[in-house]
Short mmCIF file of all heavy atoms in Angstrom, two decimals:
data_model
loop_
_atom_site.label_atom_id
_atom_site.label_comp_id
_atom_site.label_asym_id
_atom_site.label_seq_id
_atom_site.Cartn_x
_atom_site.Cartn_y
_atom_site.Cartn_z
N ARG A 58 2.48 2.79 -14.44
CA ARG A 58 3.30 3.29 -13.33
C ARG A 58 4.51 4.04 -13.86
O ARG A 58 5.19 3.55 -14.77
CB ARG A 58 3.76 2.11 -12.46
CG ARG A 58 4.54 2.46 -11.20
CD ARG A 58 4.81 1.19 -10.43
NE ARG A 58 5.65 1.31 -9.26
CZ ARG A 58 5.20 1.36 -8.00
NH1 ARG A 58 3.90 1.33 -7.78
NH2 ARG A 58 6.03 1.42 -6.99
N ASN A 62 9.49 4.91 -10.30
CA ASN A 62 8.91 4.48 -9.02
C ASN A 62 9.25 3.01 -8.78
O ASN A 62 8.66 2.13 -9.39
CB ASN A 62 7.39 4.70 -9.07
CG ASN A 62 6.74 4.59 -7.69
OD1 ASN A 62 7.42 4.29 -6.71
ND2 ASN A 62 5.45 4.82 -7.64
N PRO A 63 10.22 2.74 -7.89
CA PRO A 63 10.72 1.36 -7.73
C PRO A 63 9.69 0.40 -7.13
O PRO A 63 8.75 0.84 -6.48
CB PRO A 63 11.89 1.53 -6.76
CG PRO A 63 11.60 2.79 -6.02
CD PRO A 63 10.85 3.68 -6.96
N LEU A 64 9.91 -0.89 -7.35
CA LEU A 64 9.01 -1.93 -6.84
C LEU A 64 9.63 -2.60 -5.62
O LEU A 64 10.84 -2.64 -5.47
CB LEU A 64 8.77 -2.99 -7.91
CG LEU A 64 8.24 -2.49 -9.25
CD1 LEU A 64 7.98 -3.68 -10.19
CD2 LEU A 64 6.97 -1.69 -9.08
N ILE A 65 8.76 -3.15 -4.77
CA ILE A 65 9.23 -3.91 -3.61
C ILE A 65 9.27 -5.39 -4.00
O ILE A 65 8.34 -5.89 -4.64
CB ILE A 65 8.27 -3.67 -2.41
CG1 ILE A 65 8.34 -2.20 -1.99
CG2 ILE A 65 8.61 -4.61 -1.25
CD1 ILE A 65 7.29 -1.78 -0.96
N VAL A 103 15.01 -1.47 3.03
CA VAL A 103 15.83 -1.00 1.90
C VAL A 103 17.31 -1.12 2.23
O VAL A 103 17.76 -0.63 3.27
CB VAL A 103 15.50 0.47 1.56
CG1 VAL A 103 16.45 1.03 0.50
CG2 VAL A 103 14.04 0.62 1.11
N THR A 115 14.37 -1.61 -9.40
CA THR A 115 14.79 -0.53 -8.50
C THR A 115 14.64 0.84 -9.13
O THR A 115 15.03 1.84 -8.52
CB THR A 115 16.26 -0.72 -8.08
OG1 THR A 115 17.07 -0.51 -9.24
CG2 THR A 115 16.52 -2.11 -7.53
N LEU A 118 17.77 2.84 -9.16
CA LEU A 118 18.48 3.14 -7.91
C LEU A 118 19.46 2.00 -7.61
O LEU A 118 19.32 0.91 -8.17
CB LEU A 118 17.48 3.23 -6.74
CG LEU A 118 16.41 4.31 -6.83
CD1 LEU A 118 15.42 4.16 -5.66
CD2 LEU A 118 17.06 5.69 -6.80
N SER A 120 19.59 0.67 -4.69
CA SER A 120 19.04 -0.02 -3.51
C SER A 120 17.77 -0.75 -3.89
O SER A 120 17.14 -0.45 -4.90
CB SER A 120 18.71 1.02 -2.44
OG SER A 120 17.78 1.94 -2.96
N VAL A 121 17.41 -1.72 -3.03
CA VAL A 121 16.16 -2.46 -3.27
C VAL A 121 15.40 -2.65 -1.96
O VAL A 121 16.00 -2.90 -0.91
CB VAL A 121 16.43 -3.81 -3.98
CG1 VAL A 121 17.26 -4.76 -3.11
CG2 VAL A 121 15.12 -4.50 -4.38
N ALA A 122 14.08 -2.50 -2.03
CA ALA A 122 13.20 -2.72 -0.87
C ALA A 122 12.69 -4.16 -0.93
O ALA A 122 12.24 -4.62 -1.99
CB ALA A 122 12.04 -1.74 -0.90
N ALA A 144 5.92 -6.81 -6.50
CA ALA A 144 4.47 -6.64 -6.36
C ALA A 144 4.09 -5.28 -5.80
O ALA A 144 3.97 -5.10 -4.59
CB ALA A 144 3.90 -7.75 -5.47
N PRO A 145 3.86 -4.30 -6.69
CA PRO A 145 3.28 -3.04 -6.24
C PRO A 145 1.78 -3.23 -6.04
O PRO A 145 1.26 -4.30 -6.36
CB PRO A 145 3.56 -2.09 -7.41
CG PRO A 145 3.55 -2.98 -8.60
CD PRO A 145 4.07 -4.33 -8.14
N SER A 146 1.11 -2.24 -5.54
CA SER A 146 -0.33 -2.38 -5.35
C SER A 146 -1.02 -2.65 -6.69
O SER A 146 -0.61 -2.11 -7.73
CB SER A 146 -0.90 -1.13 -4.69
OG SER A 146 -0.51 0.01 -5.40
N GLU A 183 -0.43 0.20 2.71
CA GLU A 183 0.84 -0.38 2.28
C GLU A 183 1.84 -0.46 3.43
O GLU A 183 1.72 0.23 4.43
CB GLU A 183 1.43 0.45 1.13
CG GLU A 183 0.52 0.62 -0.05
CD GLU A 183 -0.54 1.70 0.16
OE1 GLU A 183 -0.61 2.27 1.26
OE2 GLU A 183 -1.30 1.95 -0.79
N VAL A 186 8.13 1.44 5.15
CA VAL A 186 9.42 1.26 4.46
C VAL A 186 10.53 1.90 5.30
O VAL A 186 10.43 3.06 5.69
CB VAL A 186 9.40 1.91 3.04
CG1 VAL A 186 10.75 1.69 2.33
CG2 VAL A 186 8.26 1.35 2.18
N ARG A 190 20.56 2.01 5.25
CA ARG A 190 21.88 2.33 4.72
C ARG A 190 22.57 3.47 5.46
O ARG A 190 23.77 3.61 5.39
CB ARG A 190 21.79 2.67 3.23
CG ARG A 190 21.53 1.44 2.37
CD ARG A 190 21.24 1.84 0.96
NE ARG A 190 20.10 2.74 0.91
CZ ARG A 190 19.83 3.55 -0.09
NH1 ARG A 190 20.62 3.58 -1.14
NH2 ARG A 190 18.76 4.33 -0.05
N LEU A 197 11.08 5.72 5.62
CA LEU A 197 10.77 6.34 4.33
C LEU A 197 9.27 6.44 4.10
O LEU A 197 8.81 7.33 3.41
CB LEU A 197 11.39 5.53 3.18
CG LEU A 197 12.90 5.40 3.17
CD1 LEU A 197 13.36 4.70 1.90
CD2 LEU A 197 13.58 6.77 3.27
N ARG A 198 8.52 5.48 4.62
CA ARG A 198 7.07 5.53 4.45
C ARG A 198 6.43 4.96 5.70
O ARG A 198 6.77 3.83 6.11
CB ARG A 198 6.65 4.71 3.22
CG ARG A 198 5.14 4.63 3.04
CD ARG A 198 4.73 4.01 1.73
NE ARG A 198 4.91 2.56 1.72
CZ ARG A 198 4.64 1.78 0.68
NH1 ARG A 198 4.21 2.31 -0.45
NH2 ARG A 198 4.81 0.48 0.75
N SER A 225 10.90 9.07 -0.26
CA SER A 225 11.02 7.82 -0.98
C SER A 225 10.49 8.09 -2.37
O SER A 225 9.52 8.84 -2.50
CB SER A 225 10.17 6.81 -0.24
OG SER A 225 10.50 5.51 -0.62
N PRO A 226 11.11 7.52 -3.41
CA PRO A 226 10.78 7.94 -4.77
C PRO A 226 9.27 7.99 -5.05
O PRO A 226 8.78 8.96 -5.60
CB PRO A 226 11.44 6.88 -5.64
CG PRO A 226 12.44 6.20 -4.78
CD PRO A 226 12.07 6.45 -3.36
N GLY A 227 8.55 6.94 -4.63
CA GLY A 227 7.14 6.86 -4.98
C GLY A 227 6.28 7.94 -4.34
O GLY A 227 5.16 8.19 -4.78
N LEU A 228 6.80 8.59 -3.31
CA LEU A 228 6.00 9.58 -2.61
C LEU A 228 5.83 10.86 -3.43
O LEU A 228 5.03 11.72 -3.09
CB LEU A 228 6.61 9.89 -1.24
CG LEU A 228 6.78 8.69 -0.31
CD1 LEU A 228 7.25 9.14 1.07
CD2 LEU A 228 5.49 7.91 -0.16
N HIS A 232 -1.33 9.88 -5.87
CA HIS A 232 -1.64 8.59 -5.28
C HIS A 232 -3.05 8.54 -4.73
O HIS A 232 -3.56 9.55 -4.24
CB HIS A 232 -0.69 8.35 -4.08
CG HIS A 232 0.40 7.39 -4.36
ND1 HIS A 232 1.46 7.70 -5.16
CD2 HIS A 232 0.59 6.12 -3.96
CE1 HIS A 232 2.27 6.65 -5.20
NE2 HIS A 232 1.76 5.68 -4.49
P1 LIG B 401 4.16 0.27 -3.62
O1 LIG B 401 3.85 1.30 -4.65
O2 LIG B 401 3.21 0.25 -2.47
O3 LIG B 401 4.53 -1.03 -4.12
O4 LIG B 401 5.48 0.76 -2.88
C1 LIG B 401 6.65 0.96 -3.51
C2 LIG B 401 7.27 2.11 -2.77
O5 LIG B 401 8.29 1.64 -1.92
C3 LIG B 401 7.94 3.08 -3.71
O6 LIG B 401 7.02 3.99 -4.24
C4 LIG B 401 8.94 3.74 -2.80
O7 LIG B 401 8.33 4.78 -2.07
C5 LIG B 401 9.34 2.59 -1.87
N1 LIG B 401 10.56 1.96 -2.36
C6 LIG B 401 10.67 0.86 -3.11
N2 LIG B 401 11.97 0.61 -3.40
C7 LIG B 401 12.68 1.57 -2.81
C8 LIG B 401 14.05 1.89 -2.74
N3 LIG B 401 14.97 1.14 -3.34
N4 LIG B 401 14.43 2.97 -2.07
C9 LIG B 401 13.51 3.73 -1.44
N5 LIG B 401 12.20 3.51 -1.47
C10 LIG B 401 11.77 2.44 -2.14
#
Side-chain angles (χ1 to χ4, degrees):
R58 184 176 174 100
N62 193 357
L64 305 183
I65 295 171
V103 173
T115 67
L118 298 174
S120 59
V121 64
S146 52
E183 305 79 356
V186 181
R190 288 171 302 160
L197 299 186
R198 176 171 75 181
S225 196
L228 302 187
H232 256 73

